[in-house]
Amino acid sequence: MTCCFPVNLDASMRRSFKLSKSSSGSDSGRSKSLPVQKGEAPEKKPLVVCFGEMLIDFVPTVSGVSLAEAPGFKKAPGGAPANVAVGIARLGGSSAFIGKVGKDEFGYMLADILKQNNVDNSGMHFDPDARTALAFVTLRADGEREFMFFRHPSADMLLTEAELDKNLIRKAGIFHYGSISLIEEPCRSAHLAAMQTAKQSGVILSYDPNLRLPLWPSEEAARKGIMSIWNEADIIKISEEEITFLTGGDDPYDDNVVLKKLYHPNLKLLIVTEGSEGCRYYTKEFKGRVAGIKVDAVDTTGAGDAFVGGLLNSLASDHNLYKDEQKLREALVFANCCGALTVTEKGAIPALPTREAVLQILEKATASQAK
């Protein structure tokens, strides 16, 4: 399966990425840090705090079959907010995760995976009475993903406001979340309280609805729940399919639909991802489209989360990036590359790329265009 992410870089964008590459220094591709004088603390990186679910995905050992036909399953860490947190850390950024898992082997495994990937997991809680959430997911031969969730209830649904590490949220530059944590109480109230804490502290709110219909009581409940916090976000990333669902069937490619029905007055940046075709962007001042990179896709799981991680890592370092179209386009090219690289390997977290890997694929893309 070929996943087409064609990318068009103009001359200034090529120069920008070449400078980034050359600044990494050593032959091994590892970035050099500036020497720190004795008694001088190293510069702190801007923090992105991700809130929500972390779970175990069970993926069939054979591709292209239904869950019932699968001969066996392989476990993998999952959960979109956690994937984003790891994606940012892999790129050299600073991230933390807030959520709840079971006080069980899977819960301890997930906390350890975050720690191994340099994600601050101090905001995690372990529920002694509920299990870590499980999801069975497969990509059928017809290309459709099939999900089966086990959360009746799972620990992630039981996080309370009293368990929130609000000081950690206040330290963030960006607070990122999805909509799954809005489905059930007490997690919904904890989610709203976390958003309020972030807002009051001047933290940028980033929202990726990440629609999972099987988890909601009904389609109407999903629409209402997702839109209930829509106008609070500063940054929203949404897919074409989610546009169609939230607007009741409108054309996701129509700019007027996006601007009239989904772009709210307080929004700084709205991103529409188009899968293998790249993404579109909308701000108060301008709109446009950035195409992607051609790769051979093995597994599309986590591609959207890798994209979000790439974008938020750039925004964390420059909160005004969305005001400069050239800088925004460069950040979106980078994010597209993160998504493209992720689909070339199986699994979400194992496939999330390093900054060096992204710069390498960008260098190849610019070299091929220069010929």
Side-chain angles (χ1 to χ4, degrees), residues 155-172:
D156 62 290
M157 302 160 67
L158 302 177
L159 183 73
T160 66
E161 179 180 352
E163 293 172 317
L164 288 175
D165 186 342
K166 293 186 177 181
N167 286 330
L168 183 61
I169 296 171
R170 294 185 185 105
K171 291 176 185 175

Side-chain angles (χ1 to χ4, degrees), residues 54-57 75-79 82-83 109-110 113 117 301 347-350:
M54 190 174 193
L55 60 150
I56 301 289
D57 285 332
K75 70 178 185 297
N83 291 343
M109 183 190 97
L110 293 174
I113 285 170
N117 284 279
T301 305
I349 286 179

Side-chain angles (χ1 to χ4, degrees), residues 68-357:
E69 295 167 334
F73 296 88
K74 181 180 179 181
K75 70 178 185 297
N83 291 343
V84 171
V86 174
I88 290 167
R90 284 267 176 90
L91 294 170
S94 176
S95 64
F97 175 76
I98 294 177
K100 199 171 194 179
V101 292
K103 193 175 183 180
D104 52 40
E105 289 299 312
F106 285 147
Y108 295 134
M109 183 190 97
L110 293 174
D112 193 49
I113 285 170
L114 292 179
K115 186 176 180 181
Q116 289 172 11
N117 284 279
N118 298 315
V119 175
D120 181 347
N121 65 4
S122 62
M124 288 185 76
H125 286 269
F126 299 85
D127 196 304
D129 301 315
R131 297 297 188 188
T132 299
L134 308 178
F136 288 79
V137 56
T138 187
L139 186 66
R140 301 192 313 235
D142 61 6
E144 290 298 315
R145 281 198 293 179
E146 183 180 357
F147 293 92
M148 185 185 295
F149 296 95
F150 288 80
R151 32 194 329 264
H152 305 290
S154 55
D156 62 290
M157 302 160 67
L158 302 177
L159 183 73
T160 66
E161 179 180 352
E163 293 172 317
L164 288 175
D165 186 342
K166 293 186 177 181
N167 286 330
L168 183 61
I169 296 171
R170 294 185 185 105
K171 291 176 185 175
I174 299 174
F175 181 68
H176 176 73
Y177 49 87
S179 69
I180 290 174
S181 44
L182 295 170
I183 298 173
E184 297 281 356
E185 291 290 358
C187 190
R188 174 180 167 80
S189 292
H191 183 145
L192 297 177
M195 285 177 56
Q196 184 180 32
T197 298
K199 198 82 170 178
Q200 290 174 345
S201 303
V203 179
I204 292 173
L205 299 186
S206 167
Y207 185 23
D208 177 2
N210 192 36
L211 176 66
R212 292 290 180 266
L213 265 180
L215 294 177
W216 292 87
S218 66
E219 289 192 6
E220 185 54 36
R223 278 193 200 91
K224 186 177 178 181
I226 289 171
M227 296 306 295
S228 68
I229 59 170
W230 194 264
N231 291 346
E232 299 297 319
D234 299 300
I235 300 163
I236 296 175
K237 173 260 176 189
I238 190 171
S239 69
E240 301 162 290
E241 295 83 3
E242 288 164 342
I243 292 175
T244 301
F245 174 76
L246 292 174
T247 60
D250 286 352
D251 182 2
Y253 302 100
D254 188 338
D255 285 345
N256 289 325
V257 168
V258 175
L259 291 170
K260 290 180 180 178
K261 293 194 173 184
L262 298 175
Y263 197 97
H264 65 78
N266 298 321
L267 196 58
K268 294 179 172 65
L269 175 64
L270 176 64
I271 301 292
V272 178
T273 53
E274 300 179 341
S276 61
E277 298 302 314
C279 65
R280 306 198 305 272
Y281 57 89
Y282 302 84
T283 74
K284 289 183 177 68
E285 305 299 328
F286 47 77
K287 60 184 174 70
R289 185 175 179 276
V290 175
I293 289 182
K294 187 174 182 179
V295 294
D296 292 323
V298 173
D299 180 5
T300 58
T301 305
D305 301 330
F307 173 92
V308 173
L311 177 60
L312 295 186
N313 188 56
S314 298
L315 279 165
S317 299
D318 183 359
H319 288 181
N320 292 314
L321 184 149
Y322 67 92
K323 295 180 180 179
D324 185 320
E325 187 169 13
Q326 182 62 31
K327 287 183 178 180
L328 176 60
R329 289 182 63 85
E330 290 172 6
L332 292 174
V333 169
F334 186 90
N336 276 345
C337 285
C338 292
L341 279 170
T342 301
V343 307
T344 61
E345 295 182 33
K346 283 195 173 185
I349 286 179
L352 293 168
T354 62
R355 179 174 177 80
E356 288 75 23

Side-chain angles (χ1 to χ4, degrees), residues 20-33:
S20 298
K21 177 66 177 175
S22 63
S23 65
S24 65
S26 67
D27 295 336
S28 65
R30 295 185 178 274
S31 59
K32 282 185 177 178
S33 57

